[in-house]
Amino acid sequence: MVESSIPTVVIVGCGLVGSYLGAHLAANPHLCTVHLVGRESQFREWRDAKSLSAQSGAGTTVSTPVDQLNLHLSLAAFAKDARRRPDYIVVTTKRLAAPKVYEEIRSVYFSSTTAEGNERNGEEQHAEPVPSPIRIVPLMNGARPERDAESILPPGALIHPGMWPFNVISPHPSQYHQTSGGQVFLESETAPLASIFTQSGIPTAQTDDIEAVLYGKLLVNLHNAVSALTGLTIHQEFLDLNCRKIWGGCIREALQVYRAHGINTVSFLPFRLPYSTLPYLLSLPTLIFSRLATSMLAIDPRATSSMYEDLKNQRTTEIAFLQGHIVDLGREVGVQAPMCERVYELVKRAEAEKKGPGFMSADQILDALECL
């Protein structure tokens, strides 16, 4: 039997992003063979719905019957059933869950017990072809996600973080809808995967400076906490001046920390506007802001931030990788970020007290920040 020459892609973490991505890749089997690693409860919902579908921001829908999906409950299960090693492992879990994924990758693909060609019962062994390298592609919030992987995987592991730009919602089980715009960024070393994404209906650009892209995205994601604390959808949040003041203040502090560290950013804002313009834009009266920021407001009114969903479902948030990361970076160089620190504390309080979204109003947050 001749093995297929198309790449094998494994997506670990079938949340909103992983499921949206998986739906597009599964609908284009001529581009790659995709395997999805997730939870049985989620796969059961897909089986009940009999398909996995995704709708782009332009309204284009892709759908694959569930019996044509390759579903696995773990990487170990995939490795046992698969006929070949994956070319790419795309990790779309939350940052806090990623170390467990990397530990499993190490166990399955980098453990000496899994090496091919070991002698068995003294039998003569023939030289085996060197297995193709596996490229690991983290797609998750925050900067420097490769450091989590590097701390667990052996030296030489090929880790290529990417940036996922837009929000996804699931209005019904097994259906995933894009609610905002933007293109994915992948490192140039993963150009074949970028081509697969693009041909599957997910516009993807390549970059030689993914760290700068991710640090730019972190500035955008600093609004997540505001949406979560106030309980507002992203569209409502963007139309609230006080919400924008909080977000803009966090961005201003982050930029000061970046300058002290020599951290560069690559802008993916409209017209490639520098991020330094964002605090000013966000501080404008809503009437003016809404006229200048049409692309920011072109977001599905149902869209919420991932942190909103975390508080709603009483999960630990990723605040440590957003405002918390800015605070930590600032301490390293003696630059204070009091607004980011206070927002971090408020989110951790909401976590500890099992508060859902809407823990505070924007006015109350500003009072807590002593910014009025």
Side-chain angles (χ1 to χ4, degrees), residues 57-356:
T60 304
T61 299
V62 295
S63 184
T64 301
V66 72
D67 58 6
Q68 295 180 22
L69 299 174
N70 301 307
L71 307 178
H72 311 274
L73 299 182
S74 67
L75 261 177
F78 159 77
K80 181 178 179 181
D81 298 337
R83 298 174 180 236
R84 59 175 294 177
R85 289 161 59 93
D87 297 285
Y88 301 96
I89 299 177
V90 182
V91 185
T92 59
T93 63
K94 296 282 190 177
R95 282 288 289 266
L96 291 170
K100 185 176 180 180
V101 175
Y102 301 138
E103 288 170 0
E104 188 175 20
I105 292 174
R106 182 186 62 189
S107 174
V108 173
Y109 293 109
F110 293 98
S111 170
S112 60
T113 60
T114 63
E116 297 183 7
N118 287 341
E119 292 187 358
R120 295 189 301 271
N121 300 322
E123 296 178 3
E124 182 181 354
Q125 299 297 305
H126 299 284
E128 296 287 343
V130 176
S132 60
I134 300 172
R135 297 187 182 274
I136 300 159
V137 183
L139 281 178
M140 53 191 67
N141 281 336
R144 301 175 178 174
E146 73 281 359
R147 295 192 177 184
D148 300 333
E150 289 168 351
S151 68
I152 295 171
L153 297 174
L158 302 179
I159 306 162
H160 303 283
M163 188 278 284
W164 186 273
F166 55 82
N167 296 78
V168 177
I169 63 171
S170 180
H172 304 287
S174 86
Q175 297 180 15
Y176 299 87
H177 293 185
Q178 178 183 354
T179 59
S180 57
Q183 62 181 354
V184 174
F185 278 83
L186 295 180
E187 288 192 310
S188 299
E189 291 87 344
T190 56
L193 185 63
S195 177
I196 290 170
F197 282 15
T198 297
Q199 293 181 71
S200 297
I202 300 176
T204 302
Q206 299 171 46
T207 179
D208 293 321
D209 194 353
I210 194 65
E211 180 170 287
V213 172
L214 287 171
Y215 268 112
K217 177 67 180 335
L218 192 157
L219 296 174
V220 175
N221 281 348
L222 292 176
H223 84 85
N224 287 8
V226 185
S227 170
L229 290 171
T230 61
L232 298 176
T233 66
I234 296 174
H235 191 268
Q236 291 170 330
E237 175 196 356
F238 288 178
L239 287 176
D240 187 296
L241 176 58
N242 285 340
C243 286
R244 298 198 306 274
K245 285 181 178 179
I246 300 164
W247 181 21
C250 289
I251 291 174
R252 190 176 292 108
E253 291 182 351
L255 289 172
Q256 291 171 349
V257 171
Y258 286 7
R259 283 192 289 272
H261 269 278
I263 293 172
N264 297 316
T265 59
V266 172
S267 175
F268 54 91
L269 296 175
F271 311 111
R272 299 296 184 198
L273 288 173
Y275 288 111
S276 58
T277 64
L278 262 183
Y280 171 73
L281 178 65
L282 295 172
S283 69
L284 293 173
T286 298
L287 181 62
I288 300 174
F289 172 80
S290 61
R291 292 179 177 177
L292 295 177
T294 54
S295 61
M296 291 178 63
L297 294 172
I299 185 170
D300 191 307
R302 299 171 294 175
T304 56
S305 72
S306 58
M307 198 174 297
Y308 174 109
E309 297 298 326
D310 288 337
L311 289 185
K312 177 181 176 181
N313 293 289
Q314 297 188 352
R315 295 188 297 248
T316 302
T317 71
E318 295 182 306
I319 191 67
F321 303 99
L322 301 176
Q323 274 84 352
H325 184 58
I326 300 301
V327 172
D328 291 341
L329 285 177
R331 287 172 178 163
E332 292 176 8
V333 291
V335 176
Q336 294 185 338
M339 184 173 287
C340 286
E341 185 168 9
R342 187 61 176 137
V343 168
Y344 171 86
E345 292 170 350
L346 291 173
V347 172
K348 296 307 290 185
R349 176 183 165 192
E351 285 181 16
E353 297 180 5
K354 304 297 182 183
K355 302 285 188 180

